[in-house]
Amino acid sequence: MLEFTAKNSGKKIKIVPASFRNACKLKAEAMKCLKDSGVLSKIKEFSNVNMATLINELASLIISLDTSDGFNSAVFDCLSVCICDNTHALTEQYFNDCPELWEDYYEIVTKCVEVNLRPFFKSLSSELQTRFPQTEDSLTSELPQEKMS
């Protein structure tokens, strides 16, 4: 569970992990958007790309997620177990009833996605490192390195 105060509305938010079924649905929809956005095919190029291009690609991915009915439905399925101000479930109806919460929509959704997807990718990372120990070294060597002065 993750508790925080929303930056704009000041509401107390509790992000509660969704059911396994709803988290899996969210993961599948996020993966579909990631695949459909074309970002995966460009990962190899990211080490040689300028910041403007990287921001453009990330914006493209965010637009893909934000315009996906499947992804948005999965997000609200996960949000339905989350709580605002210790009393209200974070449903679409509650967002209608509490329009000041709209200003915190992306903050809430981002944290909900993180809480529900992190366990999958943590285990995937561990599994890949166990089966392919050289992967971590090769990934590190291909990432842009911070320049020391």
Side-chain angles (χ1 to χ4, degrees), residues 34-99:
L34 185 62
K35 184 182 97 171
D36 292 349
S37 73
V39 170
L40 291 176
S41 65
K42 298 175 183 174
I43 283 180
K44 194 84 167 143
E45 300 168 22
F46 280 164
S47 61
N48 299 321
V49 77
N50 65 33
M51 188 57 74
T53 302
L54 181 60
I55 290 171
N56 189 42
E57 290 300 325
L58 290 174
S60 175
L61 176 58
I62 291 167
I63 291 167
S64 177
L65 292 166
D66 210 24
T67 58
S68 166
D69 289 337
F71 179 78
N72 285 301
S73 174
V75 165
F76 274 101
D77 287 345
C78 291
L79 282 175
S80 69
V81 296
C82 299
I83 307 294
C84 180
D85 287 339
N86 293 317
T87 56
H88 302 286
L90 286 173
T91 62
E92 287 184 68
Q93 184 59 51
Y94 187 66
F95 275 87
N96 283 331
D97 296 343
C98 188

Side-chain angles (χ1 to χ4, degrees), residues 97-116:
D97 296 343
C98 188
E100 65 269 21
L101 206 55
W102 295 11
E103 294 177 10
D104 298 307
Y105 175 79
Y106 287 107
E107 179 183 15
I108 293 167
V109 167
T110 300
K111 290 179 179 179
C112 177
V113 169
E114 181 180 341
V115 163
N116 285 289

